[in-house]
Amino acid sequence: MTAAAGAPTVKCLVWDLDDTLWDGVVLEGDDPAPFRAALDTLAELDRRGILHAAASRGEHGVTRRHLTEHRLTDWFCATEVGWGAKSAAVRRIAKALNIGLDTVAFVDNDPVERAEVASELPMVRCYAAAEVGRLPEYREFRPAHITAEATGRRRLYQAEWKRHEAEQEFGDGHQAFLDSLDLVMEVRPATEEDLSRASELTVRTHQLNSTGLTYDIDQLRRLSCAPDHQVLLATLRDRFGDYGIIGLAVTALVGRDAVLRLMLMSCRVSSRGAGSVLLHHLIQRARAAGRRPVAHFIPTEANRNLLVTMRFAGYEATGGDADRLVLAVDPERPLPKALGHTRVIAGAVPAAEEASPR
C-alpha cells in the first residue's frame, strides 16, 4: 500500500518484530538476526526524522532482551509487546507520542494482522514485510525537509515515551505530574541555524496554529532581519530531557501594536500547557515594550482549542469576520495568572522592540 494523494508524510513507522524485523520467532526459542534490509530502512528513515516503534506479539521481557542483545533497542521510541489487538497497540503508541494516526504506518508479515489494523484504523497505512527494503523509496516516507533536528528526533521521542511511562506510574494526578517535570521554556529570536526547523513547523503543525500561514526559509530570513517584525522560537526541556524547538511566533510591529501574525505550537507538547505559557510570555513582552498585544486568528476545524487558549490568555475579539478574527488584549484589564509549572527564560530583546513608541 502507498499513500493516497495529499496524505501527510509518515512520522512514525510501527514494526511487527517476528518474521518482519528479524527472521524467526523469539518466543519459540529462535535467536533470529535482523534482516539486512530492515536495518538499512531503520537507519535511513531515522536519518530523515521518521520515528520507529514496535507492536508485536510475545512476552515483553523476552522481546526486550532480544532487542537489547542485537543492539536494536535504541532505534525505537516506543515498544508495545503483548497479546492484544495490534490496532490497540498502534493507537496507544500514537497517543503516547502525541502524533496523528494519519501520520502512522504499520508493517507486518501477517496479512491478517494488517487487515485488522486497516479495518480498525483506516487512516494508518499498512505494508507487507516484503516491502521493508523499498519503504524509503515511497513518497510518503520522504519529508520535504530534513533538518539537523530531524536527525535527532528519535532522542526527543524516546524521552517522551519515558515521560509517558512515568505518568502512567504517577499516582497524584496530571497537574502534580506537570509540577514534577521541572519544565523550562526558552523564548528567543530565531537564528540562521533555526530557520529550517521553523519553516518545517509551519508546514507540519495544524491543531495549534493560529492562522495556518506557512513561511519558507527565505521568507523567515527576511522577516527575522526586518526591523518591523519579530520571529521568536520557543524550546522546552524537563527532567527527562529536551523537547527541542516546539513553538514559533511571527509578530509584526505596527504603530503601537504588536500584531501576532502566526503563533504555533507542536502538538506533542499540548498536554504540557506550552501554548498558554508562550502566549502569556508574548503578551507580557509586548506590554513591556509599550505595545498593545493584537493577534489574527483564522478558524479551522483543527485549531478550535487554540482559540480557547488565546481567550484564556486574555485575548478578546475586537473585529474581523467569519474568515479572520482580530483579537486584542485590553491594557486596562489584569492578565490571567500564568501557569506555574513552567519557568520561562527570555532571549535577547531585538533593538526594534526596545525602540517601540510609547
Side-chain angles (χ1 to χ4, degrees):
M1 172 184 177
T2 56
T9 302
V10 170
K11 291 184 180 179
C12 180
L13 177 61
V14 180
W15 294 72
D16 170 55
L17 298 177
D18 292 329
D19 293 324
T20 299
L21 178 61
W22 49 59
D23 187 15
V25 179
V26 172
L27 205 57
E28 294 180 358
D30 297 337
D31 184 22
F35 292 110
R36 181 72 253 175
L39 292 176
D40 291 343
T41 293
L42 282 168
E44 178 57 24
L45 297 188
D46 179 76
R47 185 188 71 81
R48 298 177 189 180
I50 295 173
L51 309 174
H52 297 292
S56 191
R57 299 205 179 279
E59 297 295 337
H60 189 271
V62 175
T63 301
R64 291 289 297 184
R65 184 162 56 251
H66 190 75
L67 286 166
T68 301
E69 288 172 352
H70 286 268
R71 299 181 179 178
L72 296 168
T73 306
D74 202 39
W75 287 116
F76 295 95
C77 298
T79 304
E80 287 269 356
V81 179
W83 301 105
K86 292 282 184 73
S87 61
V90 171
R91 190 186 297 276
R92 287 192 297 270
I93 288 168
K95 182 178 180 180
L97 298 179
N98 207 3
I99 58 177
L101 284 163
D102 61 343
T103 67
V104 175
F106 175 68
V107 60
D108 197 306
N109 68 296
D110 189 335
V112 175
E113 300 282 21
R114 298 197 303 272
E116 188 272 332
V117 171
S119 174
E120 294 296 320
L121 305 173
M123 69 292 289
V124 173
R125 285 157 277 185
C126 299
Y127 304 86
E131 297 180 83
V132 160
R134 300 194 300 275
L135 293 182
E137 302 170 12
Y138 295 166
R139 179 181 58 192
E140 59 267 34
F141 290 92
R142 292 183 171 273
H145 303 285
I146 301 176
T147 66
E149 185 171 272
T151 61
R153 186 166 289 137
R154 168 170 40 114
R155 301 296 182 194
L156 302 179
Y157 280 87
Q158 285 172 335
E160 187 60 26
W161 184 254
K162 291 177 183 177
R163 293 181 189 103
H164 167 71
E165 291 182 320
E167 186 168 10
Q168 295 297 107
E169 298 171 0
F170 200 86
D172 296 330
H174 182 64
Q175 185 57 52
F177 176 69
L178 290 180
D179 293 339
S180 77
L181 287 176
D182 300 325
L183 284 156
V184 178
M185 178 184 289
E186 181 179 3
V187 183
R188 57 176 173 77
T191 65
E192 179 67 28
E193 291 73 21
D194 298 322
L195 296 181
S196 292
R197 171 58 177 161
S199 177
E200 180 189 37
L201 268 176
T202 70
V203 175
R204 293 171 66 100
T205 302
H206 302 287
Q207 290 181 333
L208 300 178
N209 187 320
S210 61
T211 58
L213 296 174
T214 60
Y215 294 94
D216 62 28
I217 294 174
D218 290 336
Q219 290 173 315
L220 288 172
R221 182 178 292 115
R222 288 194 297 270
L223 291 176
S224 62
C225 295
D228 59 349
H229 276 79
Q230 301 163 6
V231 180
L232 300 176
L233 292 178
T235 62
L236 194 67
R237 66 178 185 270
D238 65 15
R239 62 186 174 90
F240 288 99
D242 201 332
Y243 294 79
I245 296 173
I246 47 82
L248 171 69
V250 178
T251 301
L253 306 179
V254 183
R256 292 183 177 274
D257 290 344
V259 183
L260 190 58
R261 303 287 194 193
L262 170 69
M263 198 288 282
L264 60 81
M265 185 65 56
S266 172
C267 296
R268 62 191 170 89
V269 295
S270 59
S271 65
R272 304 291 181 255
S276 295
V277 173
L278 178 58
L279 283 168
H280 190 272
H281 176 76
L282 294 173
I283 291 170
Q284 285 189 316
R285 191 168 188 143
R287 282 185 161 185
R291 298 184 185 275
R292 182 179 67 141
V294 177
H296 291 175
F297 188 87
I298 297 177
T300 69
E301 289 295 321
N303 70 0
R304 291 177 178 175
N305 286 342
L306 180 57
L307 181 57
V308 174
T309 300
M310 294 179 77
R311 285 176 167 159
F312 272 116
Y315 284 101
E316 298 176 344
T318 61
D321 51 36
D323 295 325
R324 180 190 293 267
L325 299 177
V326 178
L327 311 170
V329 176
D330 185 346
E332 302 301 321
R333 295 184 61 180
L335 287 179
K337 187 177 179 181
L339 296 177
H341 62 263
T342 302
R343 181 165 61 93
V344 178
I345 299 174
V349 178
E353 206 171 327
E354 293 178 334
S356 64
R358 297 285 173 177

